[in-house]
Amino acid sequence: MFLLEQEGKLATRFATLNEERELARNSGDPLLIEHCVKAYRALGMEILYLLQFVELNATGLRKILKKFDKTVTHKITDYYVSTRANHPFSQLQKLFRHAGIEAMLGSLTRSIAELNNGEKPFYDDPASFHLEDPVVDSIKGALERLTYSTRFLSFLSKHALIGDQDELPSAEDEAIEKQYDFMALVLNLMNTFLYMVNTYIVVPSADKYAISLGAAPTLCGVIIGSMAVAQLISSVYFSSWSNRSYFKPLFFSSVVLLLGNMLYAVAYDFHSLSILIAGRLLCGLGSARAVNRRYITDWVPINKRLQASAAFVTASALGMAAGPALAGLFKIKQKFFLLTIDANTLPGLTMVVIWLLYIIWLWLGFKEPVRKTLVEECIQTYSMPNEIAQKSSCGDLHSNDSASKRVMSPHGPEEQSLLQPLTETAIDIDSDLDDTDNVAEESEYSEEADKPANSFCEALQLLTNPVKVQLGIYFMLKYAMEIILSESSVVTTHYFGWTTGAIAMFVALLGFTVLPVNFLIGVYISNLFEDRQILVASEVMTCVGLATLFAGPIPYTKAQYMTGALIGFVSTEVLEGVNLSLLSKVMSPRLAKGTYNNGLLSTEAGTLARVVADGTITLAGYCGINLLLNLTLTPALAFALISLIATFFCYNSLY
């Protein structure tokens, strides 16, 4: 209530200053204009003091929770803050979301820009003003997050489960900014895109490839799923390898994928199913998606990480659609020396050429970031004595006011409040909070609370019930999605007699729905409904889509299959985005870094689902093609119903 009261007083002063601004502009008197600019800057200083007040309260809350964690064995800090920060009726929202303050900062930016430029803007666009003003510079990051363009990117970045998009820039991030290499990021994203192309390029022709080698068409489940089996292993060692290097795991991944595709292509002429499966296993061992996520988390600066995270999801979605679309173009059949070139072998041969070109590009263009030396140097640089900070260009504003110098230090207003108290009263409050704490003990506890999980078992112990439910939902949606995609070639050939080209076009169209659906959810629907409401609705629609796909006593039609597949696939897409967005909110911060991070856990859950789904297709094939569809859809629908029930049990904790 005190914060709201102060915001109201500041808003009233803004209204008064706006009237003085109009008088100064109309008079054209430079002294009056200068007086107004100084008045706005002074008001901006008070806003920054108010932000420090919010930070002080957040610090107090954090220390109270730390004392609770020290006394009671069950640690609640992470769960308490994450649930209260996102609860629609929590008073703690004022500690995490400062819409009123940010609106005043926007008004401040426009007013100073108007006075400096001498003319009133025709439209309300504070981002268009480029002001060399210390107060305005300190709030540009907050204003950027409020623009319309970031809503979709924010939704996609949570979808990617990459780092924390809202953390404040630090000295270490300044060092990362110096090492940021755009070409390295492009190569990292290209690896993501090509891997998804490699995964789904075989879907339209896998059943026919199996028949040509004398196997049942339902063995397509093994052909497609063997890549996912190997990925269960590769995700762990690639995540660990990324602690030491990025170029080496990316290079190794590309070479392994090249060799795997080569084996996939030559298996036809050797008439060997074993070589075919070995090739797909090698492709799975080359999955570097853990490295792709980790590079964006660790070596893309905060101000670019949102866009990079969205680009990661976009690259994955485009690769998922481009793979089947590319397979639909393979309609030739001829011999080149001893090598057969047709719709079965061309997916492997094409990826061999593409991965070879990528390896050359990677070798010439990737710049390995320096991991310690430069970071430590920049941390030392930015940890300058406060006397030097006070001599910055901001110091001439209220030069006799030491408090204002503290606000204008390189650390920024919110970080600086952690380094120096705002007033003597703040010192007393902080001392009271720390009356029984030893400084070394506090530091040791903080390091222990922030350190990442050291093992897979330790990571599992950090999972709360809402996190377990969300991972279960992620397993379910990946299982349903894999069933729809992987058995599409067998089902459509059996019921409708579709060719490889028709199957490729249908699967590609399903893949191309990913970006439009995510755009619709990220920009519009997420602004109208809570994430948990969208989660339940998409789970219900997933059940509807899967139920529609079942073959009954009446003749099975193309319209029924395409309608059910579209509803089921689009619903799982919506579910995936919202699920990972919720997962990023309820997951422990300790799982945001290290080898056993939240990205690895979600990848393992999704990959395991794909393995189980592809294995189900193969096993169901032994019961006959006529029963395949219903046998594979039954567990998918059961998983969906169980997930829906589990969601209702933890509905009140999903914020």
Side-chain angles (χ1 to χ4, degrees), residues 247-498:
F247 172 78
K248 290 179 180 178
L250 287 176
F251 183 82
F252 176 78
S253 161
S254 306
V255 171
V256 170
L257 281 159
L258 185 149
L259 295 175
N261 283 288
M262 191 177 295
L263 289 178
Y264 183 86
V266 302
Y268 184 87
D269 292 302
F270 281 95
H271 200 72
S272 172
L273 188 62
S274 300
I275 295 178
L276 178 69
I277 301 299
R280 290 293 288 178
L281 285 170
L282 267 181
C283 289
L285 290 174
S287 170
R289 287 177 66 80
V291 180
N292 304 143
R293 280 193 175 101
R294 187 72 179 275
Y295 181 84
I296 295 174
T297 301
D298 292 348
W299 290 104
V300 174
I302 288 177
N303 61 342
K304 297 180 179 69
R305 195 176 299 163
L306 188 69
Q307 292 85 348
S309 302
F312 174 84
V313 176
T314 303
S316 299
L318 291 177
M320 183 179 181
L326 190 60
L329 303 176
F330 302 148
K331 297 181 180 180
I332 65 172
K333 185 171 184 178
Q334 60 184 29
K335 277 277 190 178
F336 182 75
F337 293 103
L338 299 177
L339 186 64
T340 301
I341 301 177
D342 62 3
N344 294 326
T345 61
L346 269 173
L349 294 173
T350 301
M351 294 311 301
V352 166
V353 175
I354 292 175
W355 283 115
L356 181 60
L357 295 174
Y358 176 79
I359 289 171
I360 297 172
W361 186 15
L362 183 71
W363 185 272
L364 298 176
F366 191 86
K367 180 182 177 182
E368 181 77 65
V370 180
R371 289 179 172 266
K372 290 184 178 180
T373 307
L374 185 57
V375 171
E376 292 174 351
E377 178 184 342
C378 286
I379 290 176
Q380 292 173 0
T381 301
Y382 279 85
S383 299
M384 64 179 73
N386 199 47
E387 297 80 31
I388 300 176
Q390 292 175 355
K391 294 180 181 179
S392 64
S393 60
C394 317
D396 57 353
L397 189 63
H398 303 289
S399 57
N400 294 325
D401 187 353
S402 60
S404 68
K405 293 177 183 177
R406 287 200 301 272
V407 174
M408 294 304 180
S409 75
H411 296 279
E414 295 184 39
E415 288 185 5
Q416 186 65 16
S417 63
L418 297 176
L419 302 178
Q420 293 191 8
L422 180 60
T423 62
E424 292 300 319
T425 305
I427 296 176
D428 296 337
I429 295 173
D430 209 42
S431 299
D432 291 338
L433 287 171
D434 278 278
D435 55 352
T436 59
D437 284 346
N438 181 273
V439 175
E441 180 185 356
E442 181 81 12
S443 175
E444 180 181 352
Y445 177 83
S446 178
E447 291 178 3
E448 181 182 355
D450 292 338
K451 69 178 182 180
N454 294 321
S455 66
F456 198 76
C457 293
E458 185 176 351
L460 293 178
Q461 291 175 357
L462 295 173
L463 303 182
T464 59
N465 287 334
V467 176
K468 293 175 183 177
V469 170
Q470 294 307 306
L471 287 175
I473 293 173
Y474 192 68
F475 176 93
M476 176 276 293
L477 69 91
K478 283 296 183 182
Y479 181 92
M481 189 180 292
E482 190 73 9
I483 287 291
I484 293 172
L485 291 177
S486 295
E487 70 178 11
S488 60
S489 58
V490 180
V491 172
T492 54
T493 301
H494 174 70
Y495 286 102
F496 317 125
W498 282 7

Side-chain angles (χ1 to χ4, degrees), residues 491 495 546-557 560 625-631 633:
V491 172
Y495 286 102
L546 293 173
T548 305
L549 281 170
F550 275 85
I554 60 175
Y556 199 61
T557 63
Q560 179 185 350
I625 298 295
N626 292 328
L627 298 176
L628 173 69
L629 189 62
N630 290 351
L631 287 177
L633 290 173

